[in-house]
Amino acid sequence: MAQTDSKVLVLGALAGVAGVSLAVVCYQSFRSRRRGSCPGFQFHRTNEQGYGLTLVDGPGLPSGQAEVLDRLEALIQCVSELKDEMKALKNALPSLQDQVREEFRGREEARRTGFLHRTTPTRRKRTAATVAEARATGRSSEEAESEGGYMTALTDSEEDELSDAEERDQEHPVDKLSLLIEQIDRLHQGCESDKRESLNILLEQREEFGQNSTFLWRLTRAYCDVHDISLTLEEKKTYAETGKKVGEEAVSLNPTCAESHQWYAIMCGIMAEYDTIQNKIKNGYVFKDHLDKAIELKPQDPLSYYLLGRWCYAVSQLSWIERKVASTLFGEPPSATVEDALKNFLKVEELHPAYSKLNYVFLAKCYKDLGQCEKAKKMCQAACSMSAESKENEEAQKELSLLCPALGV
């Protein structure tokens, strides 16, 4: 309450008290004129602020008038007490505004620290729902009470804070997944121990995020990474089989995710190393279909073109027996030429110059097979200029050690 409004209230009350006092004085004057005819009671002062009634000798008053005087005495006593309260309120007015401000400041601080920081996301959402219900029923926000007793009234500013808190709560799971993905992507670029740690972390979080395709394709990638660094054939095969199953789950969960198709195709290609010729050819078809889908969904990803180039080059190098088996089992063997492979490797270089050491190696192989030795030599030189720190680059270095002498590099 503002100080001006408080003063108006006090002055109004004092005016009322003055009016009642004036009525009492008038009644005293009237009573003195009629003392001779009906003297039964007289007024006297009982204290500094109050009045009293005393029975005196006289003819007596009618019963109705005596009852009126009794009620009047009670009224005067109440007025006296009211005057005392008004005087106390008047004395408190100078400091009232400061007290109100201090109390409001304390409540505001307690609300911020207690409500926003100590309540759970679920309770904050319930409180926000109460605000929405109040709006729908036409009540003001001040009339809305929070569910759970955290607040007795909600102001407009508090509604805004609740809305922000609700949005943060809804974003919280996404933020947690984002942090996890950032960590996993960083570990994917690390050493062998980092790659194993990445797989372990993903397996620990699978129960929470296992229905998210962004999570699942990274789990597929982690299985691929650990497959590559495993030493025994049994371990490699186990990781390849499990990774393929996870990749298939990721594709089923979100068919529009390019990375899910991409890494599922990679796992199909890896499984070809451990399957029979029949399954190897079958996985080759699956590999190609999912790579085409990945490129359709994300045409600017150089990895998909690199993988497709590898597939085309491998198909172009199939033996007569392998082609005959494919024709027998599937009616038509897979078809691709060295030119198809070269086209995809050049697309990789266009999208991402110096993409990888192996891409230069396969460019050199394609040019060599096509009889373009000078271009093949340039690709070999470009590959040699890149470091061989990763396992993939070590593989590329082995290929170069055979290719360079053949080209006279």
Side-chain angles (χ1 to χ4, degrees):
M1 181 185 297
Q3 186 173 359
T4 303
D5 295 338
S6 299
K7 289 182 177 180
V8 171
L9 177 60
V10 172
L11 291 176
L14 291 176
V17 171
V20 174
S21 300
L22 181 59
V24 172
V25 173
C26 291
Y27 182 79
Q28 283 182 313
S29 175
F30 174 75
R31 182 195 57 79
S32 63
R33 290 197 297 269
R34 298 188 59 184
R35 185 183 300 270
S37 59
C38 54
F41 293 86
Q42 72 174 24
F43 288 96
H44 66 89
R45 296 288 294 256
T46 58
N47 50 49
E48 292 183 359
Q49 283 81 23
Y51 293 88
L53 289 174
T54 304
L55 179 64
V56 297
D57 295 333
L61 291 173
S63 60
Q65 293 182 4
E67 184 180 355
V68 171
L69 289 175
D70 288 337
R71 294 185 178 181
L72 183 58
E73 180 183 20
L75 176 60
I76 292 172
Q77 184 64 30
C78 292
V79 170
S80 176
E81 294 175 358
L82 181 60
K83 287 175 64 178
D84 291 339
E85 294 178 2
M86 290 300 102
K87 183 177 180 180
L89 180 58
K90 182 178 180 181
N91 293 333
L93 275 177
S95 60
L96 181 61
Q97 187 173 11
D98 294 335
Q99 292 177 1
V100 172
R101 287 178 177 175
E102 186 65 26
E103 183 178 358
F104 178 78
R105 188 180 299 111
R107 289 184 179 178
E108 180 71 12
E109 184 66 24
R111 182 190 61 77
R112 287 180 179 176
T113 57
F115 177 76
L116 288 180
H117 298 290
R118 289 200 299 270
T119 57
T120 62
T122 302
R123 285 173 177 169
R124 287 201 297 270
K125 288 181 179 179
R126 289 176 178 173
T127 306
T130 304
V131 176
E133 181 181 357
R135 288 173 174 169
T137 56
R139 293 182 295 154
S140 65
S141 59
E142 288 79 2
E143 295 172 342
E145 290 188 358
S146 63
E147 182 176 350
Y150 293 104
M151 298 178 66
T152 58
L154 300 175
T155 63
D156 292 337
S157 60
E158 290 166 352
E159 290 176 22
D160 294 337
E161 291 172 0
L162 285 173
S163 178
D164 294 339
E166 185 178 14
E167 291 176 2
R168 288 194 298 271
D169 292 339
Q170 293 173 349
E171 293 172 359
H172 178 69
V174 179
D175 291 339
K176 183 179 178 181
L177 179 59
S178 298
L179 292 175
L180 175 63
I181 287 174
E182 181 180 348
Q183 179 187 13
I184 295 303
D185 289 346
R186 184 171 61 253
L187 292 173
H188 171 66
Q189 301 297 329
C191 59
E192 293 185 1
S193 61
D194 292 335
K195 296 179 187 296
R196 292 187 184 276
E197 181 184 357
S198 172
L199 177 60
N200 292 333
I201 292 174
L202 288 168
L203 291 175
E204 290 174 358
Q205 299 296 323
R206 185 173 183 178
E207 182 176 354
E208 182 175 358
F209 299 109
Q211 296 302 310
N212 187 295
S213 61
T214 303
F215 174 88
L216 284 179
W217 73 255
R218 283 177 168 83
L219 180 56
T220 308
R221 183 182 66 182
Y223 275 115
C224 178
D225 289 341
V226 177
H227 164 272
D228 292 343
I229 62 179
S230 296
L231 300 177
T232 68
L233 181 64
E234 189 64 28
E235 282 184 340
K236 285 178 174 290
K237 186 175 181 180
T238 299
Y239 286 127
E241 289 175 344
T242 308
K244 182 183 176 183
K245 291 178 181 177
V246 174
E248 187 174 7
E249 184 180 349
V251 170
S252 300
L253 188 64
N254 184 6
T256 62
C257 178
E259 289 80 4
S260 295
H261 288 281
Q262 185 183 83
W263 284 98
Y264 177 58
I266 291 173
M267 296 310 299
C268 289
I270 291 175
M271 276 301 299
E273 301 176 17
Y274 311 104
D275 278 336
T276 61
I277 293 179
Q278 178 179 347
N279 288 335
K280 181 178 180 180
I281 296 174
K282 179 180 178 181
N283 283 327
Y285 284 107
V286 176
F287 182 93
K288 174 66 162 53
D289 290 342
H290 284 278
L291 273 185
D292 288 343
K293 188 64 176 179
I295 291 174
E296 176 187 338
L297 294 170
K298 195 174 181 180
Q300 300 303 313
D301 189 347
L303 177 58
S304 295
Y305 291 100
Y306 168 74
L307 294 171
L308 186 56
R310 291 287 299 265
W311 182 87
C312 291
Y313 190 81
V315 169
S316 70
Q317 304 299 311
L318 286 177
S319 65
W320 178 85
I321 295 178
E322 291 173 327
R323 292 179 183 276
K324 192 67 176 177
V325 171
S327 178
T328 301
L329 294 176
F330 301 101
E332 182 179 353
S335 176
T337 64
V338 176
E339 287 83 355
D340 295 330
L342 177 62
K343 179 181 177 181
N344 284 289
F345 292 130
L346 289 174
K347 183 67 175 180
V348 173
E349 189 67 13
E350 175 189 336
L351 294 174
H352 192 302
Y355 177 72
S356 71
K357 195 179 185 77
L358 267 175
N359 193 63
Y360 281 135
V361 168
F362 277 95
L363 279 169
K365 283 186 174 184
C366 290
Y367 282 128
K368 177 178 175 294
D369 292 347
L370 295 173
Q372 302 179 31
C373 293
E374 290 303 318
K375 291 183 177 181
K377 289 180 181 180
K378 290 181 180 180
M379 294 299 104
C380 284
Q381 292 170 351
C384 290
S385 65
M386 299 182 70
S387 61
E389 297 177 355
S390 67
K391 190 169 183 177
E392 184 184 59
N393 287 345
E394 291 176 1
E395 178 188 346
Q397 192 63 41
K398 291 179 182 178
E399 294 278 357
L400 282 173
S401 62
L402 298 174
L403 189 59
C404 287
L407 292 171
V409 177

